[in-house]
């Protein structure tokens, strides 16, 4: 207790040297902490993106969209999706239309369908209330007016992770929100989508499902894949 009190007093004192005491049995030999000024402390700034992941993503995007093109090459997207396991093979389409999504919904159990519909209603109610809370504003100022205009983007791209554990919740929370915002065109990307993922896309109102993931999915939605438009 005495040692702890000495340490507290040292820390509170502006003139006393700061000492750190070992917690082992040898308490008689404190170790002096070396004072440092702010100029001596180096700020470590790390790249927020892993360099390897960034290089891989750039390589995929370069392959996806040729330098002279404005949109993605459909053949390149099909090749990448097949190579990276988004789709079984290049003979499989990476596009799922609304009819297949409706069929996936019809193939669920009654409980699964009612659950998706109930969750959709809850998310939609909140998203629409949230949209109503943000509106156009205009105020008079000397020399003119100042304000804001809130408008939806023309096309929204949404993403739902694929894999062993489908996340239909990601579909609902993104597609329903885009619809509530007033986006006229909504695309969902999800690699190897499970039936429940496609069913959620139907309930949420997605116009199109791209069976791709990762950098190729983001690139396909951002650049557009003919005949499908790009997403804002």
């Amino acid at each position: 207790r005495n040692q702890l009190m000495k340490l507290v007093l040292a820390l509170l004192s502006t003139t006393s040297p700061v000492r750190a005491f070992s917690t082992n049995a040898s308490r008689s030999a404190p170790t002096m902490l070396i004072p440092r000024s702010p100029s001596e402390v180096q700020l470590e700034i790390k790249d927020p993106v892993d360099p390897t992941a960034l290089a891989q993503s750039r390589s995929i995007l370069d392959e996806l969209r040729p330098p002279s093109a404005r949109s993605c090459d459909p053949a390149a997207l099909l090749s990448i999706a097949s190579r990276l396991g988004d789709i079984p093979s290049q003979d499989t389409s990476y596009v799922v239309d609304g009819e297949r999504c409706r069929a996936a919904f019809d193939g669920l159990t009654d409980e699964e369908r009612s659950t998706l519909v109930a969750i959709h209603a809850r998310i939609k109610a909140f998203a629409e209330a949230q949209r109503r809370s943000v509106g156009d504003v205009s105020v008079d100022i000397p020399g003119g007016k100042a304000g804001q205009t809130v408008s939806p983007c023309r096309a929204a791209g949404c993403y739902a992770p694929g894999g062993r554990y489908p996340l239909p919740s990601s579909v609902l929370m993104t597609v329903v929100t885009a619809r509530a915002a007033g986006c006229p065109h909504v695309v969902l990307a999800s690699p190897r989508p499970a039936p429940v993922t496609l069913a959620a896309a139907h309930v949420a109102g997605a116009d199109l499902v791209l069976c791709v993931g990762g950098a190729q999915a983001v690139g396909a939605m951002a650049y557009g894949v003919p005949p499908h438009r790009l997403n804002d």
Side-chain angles (χ1 to χ4, degrees), residues 101-217:
C101 292
R102 175 58 187 264
F105 176 76
D106 293 338
L108 299 180
T109 65
D110 292 342
E111 182 180 4
E112 289 170 335
R113 287 195 298 268
S114 62
T115 299
L116 286 179
V117 171
I119 295 174
H120 168 268
R122 296 178 63 177
I123 296 174
K124 183 173 182 287
F126 178 79
E128 290 179 344
Q130 196 174 32
R131 175 63 182 87
R132 289 192 299 270
S133 71
V134 183
D136 298 349
V137 175
S138 179
V139 296
D140 294 325
I141 60 173
K145 290 181 176 293
Q148 69 178 18
T149 300
V150 182
S151 59
C153 59
R154 296 169 301 171
C158 306
Y159 189 87
R164 297 172 57 188
Y165 304 102
L167 290 175
S169 57
S170 295
V171 178
L172 294 172
M173 288 187 288
T174 53
V175 176
V176 173
T177 304
R179 284 299 188 200
C183 298
H185 188 74
V186 182
V187 174
L188 171 71
S190 184
R192 303 175 301 281
V196 69
T197 301
L198 298 178
H202 165 72
V203 174
D207 294 296
L208 187 72
V209 177
L210 298 176
C211 302
V212 291
Q216 59 272 23

Side-chain angles (χ1 to χ4, degrees), residues 5-232:
M5 183 62 68
K6 290 180 181 179
L7 177 59
V8 173
L9 292 175
L11 291 173
L12 294 176
S13 173
T14 58
T15 58
S16 301
V18 179
R19 297 173 180 271
F21 297 92
S22 171
T23 57
N24 58 26
S26 177
R27 297 177 178 272
S28 59
T31 301
M32 181 71 72
L33 294 179
I34 302 175
R36 298 292 187 187
S37 65
S39 61
E40 295 177 295
V41 179
Q42 294 183 354
L43 177 62
E44 183 180 8
I45 302 178
K46 296 183 178 180
D47 193 327
V49 180
D50 178 73
T52 301
L54 183 60
Q56 293 172 341
S57 297
R58 283 177 174 165
S59 176
I60 291 173
L61 293 178
D62 290 342
E63 180 182 355
L64 191 61
R65 186 178 70 163
S68 59
R70 300 186 61 181
S71 59
C72 297
D73 179 5
L77 178 58
L78 185 63
S79 175
I80 294 171
S82 174
R83 185 174 72 243
L84 298 182
D86 292 342
I87 56 178
S89 69
Q90 293 195 38
D91 297 328
T92 305
S93 174
Y94 54 77
V95 178
V96 177
D97 58 21
E99 292 184 3
R100 282 186 57 191
C101 292
R102 175 58 187 264
F105 176 76
D106 293 338
L108 299 180
T109 65
D110 292 342
E111 182 180 4
E112 289 170 335
R113 287 195 298 268
S114 62
T115 299
L116 286 179
V117 171
I119 295 174
H120 168 268
R122 296 178 63 177
I123 296 174
K124 183 173 182 287
F126 178 79
E128 290 179 344
Q130 196 174 32
R131 175 63 182 87
R132 289 192 299 270
S133 71
V134 183
D136 298 349
V137 175
S138 179
V139 296
D140 294 325
I141 60 173
K145 290 181 176 293
Q148 69 178 18
T149 300
V150 182
S151 59
C153 59
R154 296 169 301 171
C158 306
Y159 189 87
R164 297 172 57 188
Y165 304 102
L167 290 175
S169 57
S170 295
V171 178
L172 294 172
M173 288 187 288
T174 53
V175 176
V176 173
T177 304
R179 284 299 188 200
C183 298
H185 188 74
V186 182
V187 174
L188 171 71
S190 184
R192 303 175 301 281
V196 69
T197 301
L198 298 178
H202 165 72
V203 174
D207 294 296
L208 187 72
V209 177
L210 298 176
C211 302
V212 291
Q216 59 272 23
V218 177
M221 291 189 291
Y223 300 146
V225 184
H228 311 294
R229 73 182 75 180
L230 59 83
N231 293 264
D232 300 309

